[in-house]
Amino acid sequence: MNFLESLAKQFSSKPIDWDELEEALIRADLGVPMTMRIIKTLQEREAWALLGIGDVIKAVREEIARILPRDSTPIRPATGKPIVILIIGVNGTGKTTSTAKLAHYLLGRGGSPEPASGDWGQSPLPRASVILAAADTFRAAAIEQLDIWAKRLGVEIVRGQHGADPAALCYEAFQAAAKEKIAFLLCDTAGRQHTKANLMAELQKIKRTLGKLDADTPQETLLVVDASTGSNALSQAREFHNALGLTGLIVTKLDGSGKGGIVVTIQDELGIPTRFVGTGEKLDDFAPFDRKTYFENLL
């Protein structure tokens, strides 16, 4: 049952109780600021007419429509250099799998690049070519997992020993991508939640190190969050955004179960758009965030 179906069932046969409605909206991960705006809008309308559940649903849809961006910014190959994408997030959110899924998506749908220029010569880059960097060097299992994905996808991977310097590994991967004229470099980074200060410092070092090779990198810093974790996902987004400046989210487990309000909350409170969504375990269960689909499936 999706969110609005649940809401309709809860309030269809009785008058609206404001405290109960507030609790239901917050429980759906819409966040306190948005919940208060929705209730204020409804209370203002109640002064003119008796409200029903249809009015509640209309107000929720209007507020969410106001927040969500109309179009998801695509990731396209650049001219003359690799596009570097940092994939970050705490362990357990599906970060490494999402890295592989994004690589699969870019390989199949990344779009034809513009002709290259400068030191790269006049021939175009290979279409949507990808290289992976196993920069979660503190988890041997993550390195092995990404290596398996790389073989399955048929792409090159740069990996080091367990405990190697992640920044140095990303530096090496960028050099390889530039030399081989690879369109996209995807860096799967560590996510040790129990050592947040060290983790943020490590990620900032990766960003600085890549910046020495190209001041524009990384062009994308995408945070992977689990839609089912609700307010925890918002807290993670705040911390990573403050440390690194996020360009978007990859939201996993966005499967129509009634969760997913966190997409709206993070956009509302932090201005960080959802760029991609994962809805299952298969490689193809991954797509750019689509506003219309979100409304149809979750609202």
Side-chain angles (χ1 to χ4, degrees):
M1 181 180 297
N2 67 33
F3 164 54
L4 286 188
E5 287 175 339
S6 177
L7 203 64
K9 183 178 180 180
Q10 182 176 352
F11 292 97
S12 60
S13 58
K14 59 183 179 181
I16 295 172
D17 179 284
W18 297 115
D19 290 337
E20 192 176 349
L21 177 60
E22 177 182 333
E23 180 183 349
L25 294 174
I26 292 175
R27 192 167 58 244
D29 297 329
L30 291 183
V32 174
M34 177 174 287
T35 294
M36 294 299 99
R37 291 200 302 270
I38 291 170
I39 289 178
K40 181 181 178 182
T41 296
L42 287 167
Q43 289 176 335
E44 289 173 349
R45 293 176 183 177
E46 190 182 40
W48 301 95
L50 183 64
L51 298 182
I53 185 58
D55 300 288
V56 173
I57 291 174
K58 181 181 178 181
V60 172
R61 290 182 66 92
E62 286 174 351
E63 186 63 23
I64 291 177
R66 187 180 69 81
I67 294 301
L68 290 179
R70 294 199 169 272
D71 300 300
S72 179
T73 304
I75 297 177
R76 300 192 185 280
T79 57
K81 61 184 179 181
I83 292 292
V84 179
I85 305 171
L86 286 188
I87 312 295
I88 63 177
V90 301
N91 292 337
T93 57
K95 180 168 48 61
T96 300
T97 301
S98 293
T99 301
K101 287 181 176 181
L102 178 57
H104 177 67
Y105 170 80
L106 292 171
L107 287 168
R109 301 174 180 269
S112 299
E114 298 294 330
S117 61
D119 294 338
W120 292 47
Q122 296 303 312
S123 60
L125 297 171
R127 186 183 189 277
S129 49
V130 172
I131 189 170
L132 303 177
D136 187 354
T137 59
F138 290 87
R139 285 195 307 140
I143 299 173
E144 295 304 320
Q145 183 184 2
L146 196 65
D147 191 53
I148 291 170
W149 279 119
K151 288 182 173 67
R152 183 175 174 185
L153 293 167
V155 300
E156 185 177 346
I157 182 172
V158 176
R159 53 174 291 176
Q161 297 297 318
H162 178 233
D165 181 3
L169 188 138
C170 290
Y171 187 97
E172 178 186 345
F174 184 92
Q175 289 181 315
K179 181 180 180 180
E180 299 175 29
K181 301 182 181 179
I182 300 293
F184 298 102
L185 166 59
L186 275 60
C187 302
D188 178 31
T189 65
R192 304 176 311 285
Q193 192 172 21
H194 61 286
T195 54
K196 292 179 183 177
N198 290 340
L199 171 60
M200 296 306 173
E202 174 188 297
L203 294 173
Q204 289 167 339
K205 181 182 176 183
I206 292 174
K207 189 171 183 178
R208 288 194 309 271
T209 301
L210 288 168
K212 294 176 182 177
L213 289 166
D214 182 342
D216 294 331
T217 58
Q219 288 86 352
E220 301 284 352
T221 302
L222 303 179
L223 174 68
V224 180
V225 296
D226 181 334
S228 67
T229 60
S231 59
N232 283 339
L234 176 59
S235 299
Q236 292 162 21
R238 285 196 191 107
E239 291 184 24
F240 283 104
H241 190 48
N242 288 337
L244 296 160
L246 301 176
T247 61
L249 304 179
I250 297 174
V251 181
T252 62
K253 301 182 184 177
L254 196 61
D255 56 5
S257 63
K259 290 291 182 180
I262 197 63
V263 165
V264 183
T265 302
I266 294 176
Q267 172 72 44
D268 183 34
E269 295 194 24
L270 300 175
I272 304 168
T274 296
R275 303 283 292 283
F276 295 94
V277 297
T279 57
E281 297 300 321
K282 298 178 182 178
L283 276 173
D284 288 325
D285 295 332
F286 186 86
F289 176 77
D290 181 77
R291 170 191 170 106
K292 181 180 178 182
T293 302
Y294 179 84
F295 269 97
E296 288 176 350
N297 292 345
L298 290 173
L299 297 173

